[in-house]
Amino acid sequence: MSLALTQTKSYPAWSSRWVFIMAATGSAVGLGNIWKFPYITGENGGGAFVLVYLVCILLLGIPVMVAEVLLGRRGRQSPINTMRELTRAAGLHGFWNHLGWLGVVAGLLILSFYSVIAGWALAYIPEMGRGTFQGAGVAESQAFFDALLADKTRLVAWQSLFMLMTVGVVACGVVKGLGVAVRILMPLLFVLLLAMLIFAYRHGDFSAAAAFLFRPDFTALTGRSVLEALGHSFFTLSLGMGSIMAYGAYMPAGASIGKTVLMVAFLDTLVALMAGMAIFPIVFANPGLNPGAGPELLFVSLPVAFGAMPGGLLVGMVFFILVTIAAWSSAISLIEPGVAWLIEKRGFNRFTANISLGFIAWALGLGTVLSFNDWADFTLGGFTFFGAIDFLTSRIMLPLTGLLIAIFVGWVMPKMMVKSELSGDNSRFYPLWLWVLRYICPLAIGAVLLLGLYDTFTAAG
Ligand code: PHE
Protein backbone atom coordinates (compact mmCIF):
# COMPACT_ATOMS: atom_id res chain seq x y z
CA MET A 1 0.00 0.00 0.00
CA SER A 2 1.42 3.35 -0.88
CA LEU A 3 1.07 6.44 1.17
CA ALA A 4 0.16 8.47 -1.88
CA LEU A 5 -2.40 11.12 -1.26
CA THR A 6 -5.25 10.74 -3.68
CA GLN A 7 -7.10 13.96 -4.21
CA THR A 8 -10.82 14.11 -4.71
CA LYS A 9 -12.27 17.60 -4.75
CA SER A 10 -9.02 18.60 -3.03
CA TYR A 11 -9.99 16.38 -0.12
CA PRO A 12 -7.53 13.79 1.14
CA ALA A 13 -8.42 10.15 0.61
CA TRP A 14 -6.76 6.98 1.80
CA SER A 15 -4.97 5.01 -0.84
CA SER A 16 -6.99 1.83 -0.46
CA ARG A 17 -10.10 0.28 0.95
CA TRP A 18 -7.93 -1.52 3.49
CA VAL A 19 -6.78 1.66 5.15
CA PHE A 20 -10.42 2.64 5.49
CA ILE A 21 -11.29 -0.76 6.93
CA MET A 22 -8.47 -0.50 9.44
CA ALA A 23 -9.29 3.07 10.37
CA ALA A 24 -12.99 2.34 10.81
CA THR A 25 -12.15 -0.82 12.74
CA GLY A 26 -9.73 1.21 14.84
CA SER A 27 -12.54 3.60 15.62
CA ALA A 28 -15.04 0.85 16.34
CA VAL A 29 -12.78 -1.36 18.43
CA GLY A 30 -12.12 0.37 21.71
CA LEU A 31 -13.02 0.51 25.36
CA GLY A 32 -16.50 -0.45 24.20
CA ASN A 33 -15.27 -3.89 23.17
CA ILE A 34 -12.67 -4.71 25.78
CA TRP A 35 -13.97 -2.91 28.86
CA LYS A 36 -17.69 -2.33 28.38
CA PHE A 37 -18.84 -5.39 26.43
CA PRO A 38 -17.49 -7.96 28.93
CA TYR A 39 -18.81 -6.10 31.95
CA ILE A 40 -22.30 -5.40 30.62
CA THR A 41 -22.49 -8.99 29.40
CA GLY A 42 -21.54 -10.08 32.91
CA GLU A 43 -24.15 -7.80 34.45
CA ASN A 44 -26.85 -9.00 32.08
CA GLY A 45 -26.35 -12.70 32.60
CA GLY A 46 -24.31 -13.75 29.57
CA GLY A 47 -25.51 -15.73 26.53
CA ALA A 48 -28.98 -14.29 25.97
CA PHE A 49 -27.60 -10.75 26.11
CA VAL A 50 -24.85 -11.67 23.64
CA LEU A 51 -27.48 -13.04 21.27
CA VAL A 52 -29.57 -9.86 21.43
CA TYR A 53 -26.43 -7.79 20.92
CA LEU A 54 -25.54 -9.78 17.80
CA VAL A 55 -29.05 -9.29 16.40
CA CYS A 56 -28.76 -5.53 17.05
CA ILE A 57 -25.43 -5.32 15.21
CA LEU A 58 -26.92 -7.14 12.25
CA LEU A 59 -30.28 -5.40 12.10
CA LEU A 60 -29.45 -1.87 13.20
CA GLY A 61 -25.71 -1.37 13.33
CA ILE A 62 -24.83 -2.54 9.85
CA PRO A 63 -27.63 -0.73 7.95
CA VAL A 64 -26.98 2.57 9.78
CA MET A 65 -23.24 2.22 9.23
CA VAL A 66 -23.80 1.80 5.47
CA ALA A 67 -25.89 4.99 5.58
CA GLU A 68 -23.22 6.90 7.47
CA VAL A 69 -20.35 5.88 5.20
CA LEU A 70 -22.49 6.68 2.18
CA LEU A 71 -23.20 10.20 3.46
CA GLY A 72 -19.55 10.83 4.23
CA ARG A 73 -18.28 9.66 0.87
CA ARG A 74 -21.00 11.53 -0.98
CA GLY A 75 -20.20 14.78 0.82
CA ARG A 76 -16.42 14.37 1.02
CA GLN A 77 -16.17 16.97 3.78
CA SER A 78 -16.40 17.09 7.55
CA PRO A 79 -19.76 15.80 8.86
CA ILE A 80 -21.04 19.33 9.46
CA ASN A 81 -20.30 20.53 5.94
CA THR A 82 -21.26 17.22 4.37
CA MET A 83 -24.74 17.58 5.80
CA ARG A 84 -24.91 21.21 4.79
CA GLU A 85 -23.83 20.47 1.23
CA LEU A 86 -26.09 17.46 0.78
CA THR A 87 -29.16 19.27 2.05
CA ARG A 88 -28.42 22.26 -0.17
CA ALA A 89 -27.73 20.14 -3.26
CA ALA A 90 -31.00 18.26 -2.81
CA GLY A 91 -32.95 21.41 -1.93
CA LEU A 92 -33.84 20.03 1.50
CA HIS A 93 -34.76 21.80 4.70
CA GLY A 94 -31.90 23.33 6.72
CA PHE A 95 -33.00 21.32 9.74
CA TRP A 96 -30.85 18.44 8.52
CA ASN A 97 -27.71 20.53 8.91
CA HIS A 98 -27.85 20.01 12.63
CA LEU A 99 -27.06 16.34 12.25
CA GLY A 100 -23.40 17.12 11.70
CA TRP A 101 -23.29 19.41 14.71
CA LEU A 102 -24.80 16.92 17.08
CA GLY A 103 -22.12 14.46 16.08
CA VAL A 104 -19.20 16.81 16.61
CA VAL A 105 -20.48 17.80 20.05
CA ALA A 106 -21.17 14.18 21.01
CA GLY A 107 -17.63 13.30 19.94
CA LEU A 108 -16.06 15.87 22.24
CA LEU A 109 -18.28 14.80 25.13
CA ILE A 110 -17.41 11.12 24.66
CA LEU A 111 -13.73 11.94 24.29
CA SER A 112 -13.82 13.82 27.59
CA PHE A 113 -14.62 10.71 29.65
CA TYR A 114 -13.04 8.24 27.27
CA SER A 115 -9.62 9.78 27.88
CA VAL A 116 -10.03 9.45 31.64
CA ILE A 117 -10.85 5.75 31.47
CA ALA A 118 -8.11 5.14 28.91
CA GLY A 119 -5.88 6.90 31.44
CA TRP A 120 -6.70 4.17 33.98
CA ALA A 121 -5.51 1.57 31.49
CA LEU A 122 -2.29 3.56 30.97
CA ALA A 123 -1.79 3.77 34.72
CA TYR A 124 -2.08 -0.01 35.03
CA ILE A 125 0.74 -0.74 32.55
CA PRO A 126 3.65 0.23 34.85
CA GLU A 127 1.82 -1.16 37.90
CA MET A 128 1.52 -4.53 36.23
CA GLY A 129 5.18 -4.47 35.28
CA ARG A 130 6.20 -3.46 38.78
CA GLY A 131 4.40 -6.48 40.21
CA THR A 132 1.91 -4.49 42.30
CA PHE A 133 -0.65 -7.26 41.92
CA GLN A 134 1.61 -10.27 42.48
CA GLY A 135 -0.25 -12.47 44.93
CA ALA A 136 -2.81 -9.75 45.65
CA GLY A 137 -6.32 -10.68 46.74
CA VAL A 138 -9.57 -9.04 45.65
CA ALA A 139 -9.51 -6.69 48.64
CA GLU A 140 -6.01 -5.45 47.86
CA SER A 141 -6.81 -5.01 44.20
CA GLN A 142 -9.96 -3.09 45.11
CA ALA A 143 -7.95 -0.92 47.50
CA PHE A 144 -5.46 -0.12 44.74
CA PHE A 145 -8.22 0.85 42.32
CA ASP A 146 -9.99 2.98 44.94
CA ALA A 147 -6.73 4.74 45.77
CA LEU A 148 -6.16 5.50 42.08
CA LEU A 149 -9.64 6.96 41.71
CA ALA A 150 -9.19 9.08 44.82
CA ASP A 151 -5.94 10.57 43.54
CA LYS A 152 -6.89 13.49 41.30
CA THR A 153 -3.34 14.37 40.38
CA ARG A 154 -2.54 10.90 39.11
CA LEU A 155 -5.82 10.66 37.21
CA VAL A 156 -5.23 14.00 35.52
CA ALA A 157 -1.65 13.09 34.69
CA TRP A 158 -2.67 9.87 32.93
CA GLN A 159 -5.65 11.50 31.26
CA SER A 160 -3.36 14.27 29.96
CA LEU A 161 -0.82 11.78 28.63
CA PHE A 162 -3.55 9.93 26.78
CA MET A 163 -4.88 13.17 25.33
CA LEU A 164 -1.40 14.15 24.14
CA MET A 165 -1.05 10.78 22.41
CA THR A 166 -4.36 11.40 20.66
CA VAL A 167 -3.72 14.96 19.47
CA GLY A 168 -0.20 13.91 18.50
CA VAL A 169 -1.50 11.47 15.90
CA VAL A 170 -4.28 13.68 14.63
CA ALA A 171 -1.84 16.58 14.22
CA CYS A 172 0.12 14.51 11.71
CA GLY A 173 -2.85 14.43 9.34
CA VAL A 174 -5.21 12.05 7.63
CA VAL A 175 -2.70 10.11 5.59
CA LYS A 176 0.53 10.29 7.59
CA GLY A 177 -1.09 10.41 11.04
CA LEU A 178 -4.35 8.48 11.00
CA GLY A 179 -3.52 6.27 8.03
CA VAL A 180 -0.15 5.14 9.32
CA ALA A 181 -1.23 4.83 12.96
CA VAL A 182 -4.12 2.50 12.26
CA ARG A 183 -2.05 0.33 9.97
CA ILE A 184 0.40 -0.31 12.77
CA LEU A 185 -1.96 -0.33 15.74
CA MET A 186 -4.71 -2.58 14.40
CA PRO A 187 -2.64 -5.63 13.47
CA LEU A 188 -0.70 -5.23 16.72
CA LEU A 189 -3.92 -5.20 18.69
CA PHE A 190 -5.08 -8.36 17.00
CA VAL A 191 -1.85 -10.22 17.71
CA LEU A 192 -1.88 -9.17 21.38
CA LEU A 193 -5.48 -10.23 21.76
CA LEU A 194 -4.74 -13.59 20.21
CA ALA A 195 -1.89 -14.07 22.69
CA MET A 196 -4.28 -13.24 25.56
CA LEU A 197 -6.79 -15.73 24.20
CA ILE A 198 -4.22 -18.53 24.05
CA PHE A 199 -3.15 -17.68 27.58
CA ALA A 200 -6.75 -17.80 28.80
CA TYR A 201 -7.23 -21.12 27.05
CA ARG A 202 -4.25 -22.66 28.79
CA HIS A 203 -4.65 -21.18 32.23
CA GLY A 204 -8.33 -20.30 32.58
CA ASP A 205 -11.65 -22.11 32.63
CA PHE A 206 -12.38 -21.87 28.92
CA SER A 207 -15.46 -24.09 28.84
CA ALA A 208 -17.19 -22.24 31.68
CA ALA A 209 -16.59 -18.99 29.83
CA ALA A 210 -17.87 -20.41 26.55
CA ALA A 211 -21.01 -21.67 28.27
CA PHE A 212 -21.53 -18.30 29.93
CA LEU A 213 -21.15 -16.33 26.70
CA PHE A 214 -22.80 -18.66 24.22
CA ARG A 215 -25.47 -20.62 26.03
CA PRO A 216 -28.45 -18.26 26.16
CA ASP A 217 -30.39 -18.22 29.39
CA PHE A 218 -33.41 -16.11 28.61
CA THR A 219 -34.55 -15.91 32.20
CA ALA A 220 -31.59 -13.60 32.81
CA LEU A 221 -32.79 -11.20 30.11
CA THR A 222 -34.84 -8.14 31.04
CA GLY A 223 -36.29 -5.28 28.99
CA ARG A 224 -33.41 -3.12 30.20
CA SER A 225 -30.89 -5.64 28.91
CA VAL A 226 -32.41 -5.37 25.45
CA LEU A 227 -32.12 -1.57 25.57
CA GLU A 228 -28.59 -1.78 26.77
CA ALA A 229 -27.66 -4.18 23.96
CA LEU A 230 -29.22 -1.81 21.45
CA GLY A 231 -27.45 1.27 22.77
CA HIS A 232 -24.19 -0.60 22.96
CA SER A 233 -24.37 -1.79 19.36
CA PHE A 234 -24.29 1.89 18.34
CA PHE A 235 -21.51 2.86 20.69
CA THR A 236 -19.32 -0.06 19.75
CA LEU A 237 -19.63 0.57 16.00
CA SER A 238 -18.93 4.31 16.57
CA LEU A 239 -22.24 5.22 14.98
CA GLY A 240 -24.34 8.34 15.32
CA MET A 241 -21.37 10.57 15.95
CA GLY A 242 -19.81 11.53 12.68
CA SER A 243 -16.64 9.45 13.11
CA ILE A 244 -17.70 6.96 10.53
CA MET A 245 -19.07 9.75 8.35
CA ALA A 246 -15.79 11.63 8.58
CA TYR A 247 -13.84 8.49 7.72
CA GLY A 248 -16.28 7.73 4.89
CA ALA A 249 -15.16 11.02 3.36
CA TYR A 250 -11.64 9.61 3.07
CA MET A 251 -12.80 6.38 1.44
CA PRO A 252 -11.64 5.73 -2.12
CA ALA A 253 -14.41 6.29 -4.67
CA GLY A 254 -14.80 2.88 -6.26
CA ALA A 255 -14.80 0.72 -3.13
CA SER A 256 -17.94 -1.24 -2.21
CA ILE A 257 -19.54 0.28 0.87
CA GLY A 258 -21.58 -2.80 1.78
CA LYS A 259 -18.68 -5.22 1.75
CA THR A 260 -16.46 -2.81 3.62
CA VAL A 261 -19.02 -2.20 6.34
CA LEU A 262 -19.65 -5.93 6.77
CA MET A 263 -15.93 -6.41 7.27
CA VAL A 264 -15.70 -3.65 9.90
CA ALA A 265 -18.76 -4.91 11.80
CA PHE A 266 -17.41 -8.46 11.66
CA LEU A 267 -14.01 -7.42 13.03
CA ASP A 268 -15.58 -5.31 15.78
CA THR A 269 -17.81 -8.18 16.89
CA LEU A 270 -14.94 -10.62 16.66
CA VAL A 271 -12.79 -8.46 18.94
CA ALA A 272 -15.61 -8.09 21.49
CA LEU A 273 -16.15 -11.86 21.59
CA MET A 274 -12.41 -12.50 21.73
CA ALA A 275 -12.11 -10.05 24.60
CA GLY A 276 -14.92 -11.90 26.37
CA MET A 277 -13.18 -15.20 25.80
CA ALA A 278 -9.90 -13.75 27.05
CA ILE A 279 -11.40 -12.29 30.22
CA PHE A 280 -14.10 -14.68 31.44
CA PRO A 281 -11.98 -17.88 31.51
CA ILE A 282 -9.65 -16.06 33.91
CA VAL A 283 -12.54 -14.81 36.03
CA PHE A 284 -14.15 -18.26 36.21
CA ALA A 285 -10.88 -19.97 37.07
CA ASN A 286 -10.53 -17.78 40.16
CA PRO A 287 -13.17 -18.45 42.78
CA GLY A 288 -14.03 -15.18 44.47
CA LEU A 289 -14.15 -13.23 41.22
CA ASN A 290 -17.58 -12.24 40.09
CA PRO A 291 -18.45 -11.98 36.37
CA GLY A 292 -21.12 -9.41 37.21
CA ALA A 293 -18.70 -7.04 38.96
CA GLY A 294 -19.54 -4.17 36.60
CA PRO A 295 -17.14 -1.49 35.34
CA GLU A 296 -14.50 -2.75 37.74
CA LEU A 297 -14.28 -6.15 36.06
CA LEU A 298 -11.26 -5.09 34.04
CA PHE A 299 -9.51 -3.05 36.72
CA VAL A 300 -10.16 -5.00 39.90
CA SER A 301 -10.92 -8.61 38.97
CA LEU A 302 -8.46 -9.14 36.18
CA PRO A 303 -5.35 -7.88 37.99
CA VAL A 304 -6.04 -10.39 40.77
CA ALA A 305 -6.09 -13.12 38.19
CA PHE A 306 -2.90 -11.83 36.57
CA GLY A 307 -1.23 -11.63 39.95
CA ALA A 308 -1.97 -15.28 40.62
CA MET A 309 -0.77 -16.64 37.31
CA PRO A 310 2.54 -17.86 36.07
CA GLY A 311 3.82 -15.14 33.76
CA GLY A 312 0.97 -12.92 34.86
CA LEU A 313 3.25 -9.92 35.21
CA LEU A 314 4.03 -9.85 31.52
CA VAL A 315 0.58 -10.90 30.34
CA GLY A 316 -1.00 -8.23 32.53
CA MET A 317 1.22 -5.58 31.03
CA VAL A 318 0.51 -6.75 27.51
CA PHE A 319 -3.19 -6.73 28.27
CA PHE A 320 -3.31 -3.11 29.41
CA ILE A 321 -1.12 -2.03 26.49
CA LEU A 322 -3.74 -3.64 24.30
CA VAL A 323 -6.58 -1.77 25.99
CA THR A 324 -4.67 1.49 25.54
CA ILE A 325 -4.05 0.87 21.85
CA ALA A 326 -7.71 0.08 21.25
CA ALA A 327 -8.80 3.22 23.09
CA TRP A 328 -6.21 5.31 21.27
CA SER A 329 -7.41 4.51 17.76
CA SER A 330 -10.99 5.23 18.86
CA ALA A 331 -10.08 8.53 20.50
CA ILE A 332 -8.47 9.65 17.25
CA SER A 333 -11.78 9.18 15.51
CA LEU A 334 -13.67 11.05 18.21
CA ILE A 335 -11.73 14.25 17.57
CA GLU A 336 -11.30 14.02 13.78
CA PRO A 337 -14.80 15.22 12.72
CA GLY A 338 -14.43 18.48 14.66
CA VAL A 339 -10.87 18.99 13.46
CA ALA A 340 -11.88 18.47 9.83
CA TRP A 341 -14.61 21.06 10.26
CA LEU A 342 -12.41 23.72 11.87
CA ILE A 343 -9.88 23.31 9.07
CA GLU A 344 -12.45 23.62 6.31
CA LYS A 345 -14.67 26.31 7.59
CA ARG A 346 -12.76 28.32 10.09
CA GLY A 347 -9.44 28.32 8.31
CA PHE A 348 -7.59 26.74 11.24
CA ASN A 349 -4.56 24.69 10.44
CA ARG A 350 -4.68 21.04 11.53
CA PHE A 351 -2.39 21.63 14.46
CA THR A 352 -4.29 24.48 16.11
CA ALA A 353 -7.70 22.90 15.36
CA ASN A 354 -6.60 19.74 17.02
CA ILE A 355 -5.00 21.40 20.04
CA SER A 356 -8.07 23.59 20.61
CA LEU A 357 -10.53 20.69 20.53
CA GLY A 358 -8.20 18.47 22.50
CA PHE A 359 -8.03 21.15 25.15
CA ILE A 360 -11.83 21.49 25.35
CA ALA A 361 -12.26 17.72 25.73
CA TRP A 362 -9.45 17.60 28.27
CA ALA A 363 -10.98 20.40 30.35
CA LEU A 364 -14.40 18.72 30.27
CA GLY A 365 -12.69 15.51 31.29
CA LEU A 366 -11.67 17.13 34.56
CA GLY A 367 -15.36 16.87 35.51
CA THR A 368 -15.15 13.11 35.00
CA VAL A 369 -11.96 12.92 37.04
CA LEU A 370 -13.68 14.76 39.89
CA SER A 371 -16.75 12.51 39.66
CA PHE A 372 -14.66 9.76 41.23
CA ASN A 373 -13.49 11.79 44.19
CA ASP A 374 -14.39 15.38 45.17
CA TRP A 375 -17.65 15.43 43.26
CA ALA A 376 -18.64 11.83 43.94
CA ASP A 377 -21.57 12.93 46.08
CA PHE A 378 -22.57 15.78 43.86
CA THR A 379 -25.29 14.29 41.68
CA LEU A 380 -27.85 15.61 39.29
CA GLY A 381 -30.94 13.45 38.96
CA GLY A 382 -28.97 10.54 40.37
CA PHE A 383 -26.07 10.97 37.94
CA THR A 384 -22.55 12.02 38.70
CA PHE A 385 -20.94 14.33 36.14
CA PHE A 386 -19.41 11.30 34.42
CA GLY A 387 -22.66 9.32 34.60
CA ALA A 388 -24.58 12.22 33.11
CA ILE A 389 -22.24 12.64 30.14
CA ASP A 390 -22.15 8.90 29.53
CA PHE A 391 -25.94 8.70 29.61
CA LEU A 392 -26.43 11.85 27.54
CA THR A 393 -24.15 10.59 24.79
CA SER A 394 -24.86 6.86 24.57
CA ARG A 395 -28.52 6.85 25.44
CA ILE A 396 -29.65 10.15 23.89
CA MET A 397 -27.26 11.76 21.42
CA LEU A 398 -25.95 8.71 19.54
CA PRO A 399 -29.42 7.17 19.08
CA LEU A 400 -30.83 10.58 18.11
CA THR A 401 -28.25 11.13 15.39
CA GLY A 402 -28.58 7.48 14.31
CA LEU A 403 -32.33 7.92 14.02
CA LEU A 404 -31.97 11.11 11.98
CA ILE A 405 -29.43 9.44 9.70
CA ALA A 406 -31.76 6.49 9.09
CA ILE A 407 -34.64 8.84 8.29
CA PHE A 408 -32.50 11.14 6.17
CA VAL A 409 -30.98 8.41 4.02
CA GLY A 410 -34.06 6.16 4.05
CA TRP A 411 -36.77 8.74 3.40
CA VAL A 412 -35.49 12.23 2.64
CA MET A 413 -32.38 12.05 0.49
CA PRO A 414 -33.07 11.65 -3.25
CA LYS A 415 -32.80 7.95 -4.06
CA MET A 416 -30.61 8.70 -7.06
CA MET A 417 -27.89 10.04 -4.80
CA VAL A 418 -28.15 7.02 -2.52
CA LYS A 419 -28.10 4.54 -5.39
CA SER A 420 -25.14 6.09 -7.13
CA GLU A 421 -22.99 5.80 -3.99
CA LEU A 422 -23.95 2.14 -3.71
CA SER A 423 -23.35 1.38 -7.37
CA GLY A 424 -20.29 -0.67 -6.52
CA ASP A 425 -22.45 -2.97 -4.40
CA ASN A 426 -24.49 -6.04 -5.14
CA SER A 427 -27.87 -4.62 -6.09
CA ARG A 428 -29.77 -7.63 -4.72
CA PHE A 429 -29.23 -6.38 -1.20
CA TYR A 430 -30.29 -2.81 -1.89
CA PRO A 431 -34.07 -3.26 -1.42
CA LEU A 432 -33.55 -5.27 1.76
CA TRP A 433 -31.15 -2.69 3.19
CA LEU A 434 -33.47 0.18 2.30
CA TRP A 435 -36.45 -1.54 3.85
CA VAL A 436 -34.65 -2.22 7.13
CA LEU A 437 -33.31 1.34 7.19
CA ARG A 438 -36.74 2.82 6.56
CA TYR A 439 -38.85 0.76 8.91
CA ILE A 440 -36.92 -1.33 11.41
CA CYS A 441 -34.20 1.17 12.28
CA PRO A 442 -36.39 4.21 13.04
CA LEU A 443 -38.79 2.13 15.13
CA ALA A 444 -36.17 0.35 17.17
CA ILE A 445 -33.86 3.33 17.62
CA GLY A 446 -36.85 5.59 18.34
CA ALA A 447 -37.90 3.23 21.13
CA VAL A 448 -34.44 3.35 22.70
CA LEU A 449 -34.44 7.10 22.51
CA LEU A 450 -37.88 7.47 24.08
CA LEU A 451 -36.99 5.15 26.91
CA GLY A 452 -33.75 7.08 27.39
CA LEU A 453 -35.70 10.30 27.71
CA TYR A 454 -38.21 8.62 29.99
CA ASP A 455 -35.37 7.45 32.21
CA THR A 456 -33.95 10.96 32.29
CA PHE A 457 -37.18 12.48 33.46
CA THR A 458 -37.98 9.80 35.98
CA ALA A 459 -34.44 10.09 37.33
CA ALA A 460 -34.71 13.87 37.52
CA GLY A 461 -38.15 13.71 39.09
N1 PHE B 1 -16.58 2.53 19.23
C1 PHE B 1 -15.74 2.94 20.28
C2 PHE B 1 -15.64 1.84 21.33
O1 PHE B 1 -16.23 0.80 21.20
C3 PHE B 1 -16.23 4.20 20.94
C4 PHE B 1 -16.57 5.29 19.99
C5 PHE B 1 -17.87 5.76 19.93
C6 PHE B 1 -15.61 5.81 19.13
C7 PHE B 1 -18.23 6.73 19.02
C8 PHE B 1 -15.96 6.78 18.21
C9 PHE B 1 -17.26 7.22 18.15
O2 PHE B 1 -14.96 1.98 22.30
Side-chain angles (χ1 to χ4, degrees), residues 27-33 110 114 232 234-239 241 243 268 330-331 333-334 398:
S27 168
V29 172
L31 293 172
N33 304 61
I110 295 177
Y114 210 81
H232 186 63
F234 261 64
F235 185 81
T236 192
L237 290 178
S238 303
L239 297 177
M241 206 231 72
S243 290
D268 184 74
S330 299
S333 77
L334 284 163
L398 299 188

Side-chain angles (χ1 to χ4, degrees), residues 14-15 76 86 88 118 136 164 201 256 312 392 394 407 411 414 435:
W14 285 314
S15 50
R76 285 250 188 255
L86 290 181
R88 207 172 37 92
L164 282 176
Y201 179 71
S256 149
L392 180 70
S394 38
I407 296 177
W411 294 96
W435 188 82

Side-chain angles (χ1 to χ4, degrees), residues 111-286:
L111 183 60
S112 79
F113 71 79
Y114 210 81
S115 56
V116 176
I117 294 170
W120 300 352
L122 267 177
Y124 268 64
I125 300 172
E127 295 300 335
M128 282 288 155
R130 202 182 293 155
T132 307
F133 296 96
Q134 289 304 87
V138 178
E140 284 150 296
S141 178
Q142 181 78 52
F144 175 84
F145 185 63
D146 292 344
L148 175 69
L149 293 196
D151 190 341
K152 284 172 290 194
T153 323
R154 265 169 85 201
L155 290 182
V156 172
W158 290 113
Q159 171 219 13
S160 309
L161 176 63
F162 184 79
M163 198 58 103
L164 282 176
M165 287 163 57
T166 304
V167 293
V169 170
V170 181
C172 295
V174 172
V175 177
K176 291 220 174 75
L178 306 190
V180 173
V182 292
R183 275 158 52 188
I184 299 169
L185 295 182
M186 283 302 101
L188 185 64
L189 175 98
F190 207 75
V191 170
L192 290 183
L193 198 52
L194 211 59
M196 272 297 300
L197 202 61
I198 294 170
F199 186 86
Y201 179 71
R202 290 170 124 196
H203 299 280
D205 190 343
F206 215 65
S207 54
F212 181 69
L213 284 179
F214 302 114
R215 195 179 300 147
D217 166 13
F218 285 97
T219 55
L221 202 70
T222 63
R224 297 270 145 215
S225 321
V226 176
L227 278 184
E228 183 135 20
L230 236 146
H232 186 63
S233 67
F234 261 64
F235 185 81
T236 192
L237 290 178
S238 303
L239 297 177
M241 206 231 72
S243 290
I244 293 300
M245 210 193 282
Y247 279 9
Y250 309 138
M251 188 177 178
S256 149
I257 294 182
K259 268 195 232 145
T260 310
V261 164
L262 280 180
M263 186 76 185
V264 174
F266 170 76
L267 288 173
D268 184 74
T269 309
L270 184 68
V271 170
L273 295 177
M274 277 171 85
M277 284 309 289
I279 291 168
F280 285 115
I282 297 175
V283 173
F284 285 122
N286 287 271

